[in-house]
């Protein structure tokens, strides 16, 4: 799981870490690339788990390059993309691994999602269609939670800072068109944080 950080809210960060540490599937690695102006020492207390890697970048390289720095830290066969204030459901990684095990050609996976506010209230469930290249060309309905085979990232390239603001859409288009198999897990595995600083 790769997470770009920037002036990360401590409360939201704790909830993010909790959601990963509570996964029913335990063979994960979390790579944090921090582009904040200064290191927030308060966040370190949530990084005790040996599966967590953290790198302070000393400068904000922007959303794409910060994410790319996290990808470079990762050693897994698959890379999951997560924002620094969002949350995974407890079975998110289990469902992803189950999907991969059911078809080894799977190289790109996405799930349904909802939103979560500052109080933990969940709302606006988003039940997505299965993969359709034509629909995707018109609308980035995939958004989150995305897991991509590392070999596919090596083939199509990482995030491109020329498209900051739409970097995820650019990457999704490049990756899905080359993927051997794209799978949609029709379950809400991702809770997208909505707050004033979003």
């Amino acid at each position: 799981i790769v997470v770009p950080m920037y002036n990360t809210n401590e409360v939201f960060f704790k909830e993010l870490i909790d959601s990963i540490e509570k996964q029913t599937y335990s063979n994960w690695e979390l790579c944090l690339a921090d582009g904040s102006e200064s290191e927030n020492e308060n966040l370190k207390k949530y990084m005790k788990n040996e599966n967590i890697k953290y790198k302070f970048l000393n400068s904000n390289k922007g959303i794409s390059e910060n994410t790319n720095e996290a990808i470079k830290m990762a050693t897994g066969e698959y890379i999951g993309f997560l924002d620094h204030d969002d949350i995974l459901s407890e079975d998110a990684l289990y469902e992803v691994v189950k999907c991969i095990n059911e078809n080894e050609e799977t190289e790109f996976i996405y799930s349904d999602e909802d939103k979560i506010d500052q109080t933990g209230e969940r709302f606006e469930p988003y039940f997505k269609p299965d993969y359709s290249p034509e629909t995707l060309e018109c609308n980035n309905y995939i958004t989150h939670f995305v897991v991509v085979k590392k070999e596919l990232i090596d083939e199509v390239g990482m995030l491109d800072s020329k498209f900051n603001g739409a970097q995820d859409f650019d990457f999704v288009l490049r990756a899905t068109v080359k993927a051997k198999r794209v799978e949609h897990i029709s379950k809400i595995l991702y809770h997208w944080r909505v707050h004033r600083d979003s």
Side-chain angles (χ1 to χ4, degrees), residues 1-2 25 27-31 53 70-81 93 96-97 100-101 103-109 146-155 171 180:
I1 303 168
V2 298
Y25 179 81
N27 187 19
W28 52 265
E29 174 186 65
L30 175 61
C31 300
K53 295 178 176 179
I71 292 171
K72 291 173 190 174
M73 296 162 63
T75 61
E77 290 180 64
Y78 288 81
I79 305 291
F81 293 84
L93 298 183
V96 167
V97 173
I100 293 166
N101 287 340
N103 193 313
E104 62 185 29
E105 288 203 328
T106 300
E107 293 189 325
F108 189 105
I109 301 158
V146 169
V147 177
V148 183
K149 193 166 188 176
K150 180 64 167 59
E151 288 177 2
L152 181 61
I153 296 175
D154 293 340
E155 180 183 352
F171 175 76
K180 288 179 187 165

Side-chain angles (χ1 to χ4, degrees), residues 10-142:
E10 183 177 346
V11 173
F12 298 159
F13 185 70
K14 179 184 183 305
E15 291 179 12
L16 165 101
I17 298 294
D18 285 348
S19 80
I20 295 171
E21 292 185 330
K22 290 177 180 171
Q23 289 296 305
T24 56
Y25 179 81
S26 60
N27 187 19
W28 52 265
E29 174 186 65
L30 175 61
C31 300
L32 305 164
D34 190 349
S36 303
E37 287 123 9
S38 58
E39 244 178 307
N40 184 342
E41 293 300 324
N42 290 336
L43 300 183
K44 298 268 178 85
K45 61 190 170 197
Y46 307 114
M47 302 182 206
K48 303 280 193 234
N49 192 306
E50 62 184 16
N51 295 334
I52 298 175
K53 295 178 176 179
Y54 171 80
K55 181 178 181 183
F56 182 67
L57 302 177
N58 290 308
S59 67
N60 180 20
K61 299 169 184 278
I63 183 69
S64 295
E65 289 305 318
N66 291 355
T67 303
N68 291 343
E69 289 296 326
I71 292 171
K72 291 173 190 174
M73 296 162 63
T75 61
E77 290 180 64
Y78 288 81
I79 305 291
F81 293 84
L82 199 56
D83 286 343
H84 68 162
D85 52 5
D86 296 338
I87 297 174
L88 291 179
S89 69
E90 284 188 5
D91 61 342
L93 298 183
Y94 166 80
E95 291 292 344
V96 167
V97 173
K98 178 173 177 272
C99 178
I100 293 166
N101 287 340
E102 286 172 353
N103 193 313
E104 62 185 29
E105 288 203 328
T106 300
E107 293 189 325
F108 189 105
I109 301 158
Y110 66 99
S111 75
D112 295 340
E113 65 190 58
D114 61 12
K115 294 187 173 74
I116 188 168
D117 67 15
Q118 296 182 86
T119 67
E121 183 79 21
R122 290 170 50 194
F123 62 102
E124 288 185 18
Y126 181 22
F127 302 106
K128 303 170 188 176
D130 285 342
Y131 176 57
S132 163
E134 294 80 9
T135 304
L136 187 60
E137 285 178 3
C138 304
N139 168 33
N140 182 16
Y141 65 85
I142 288 178

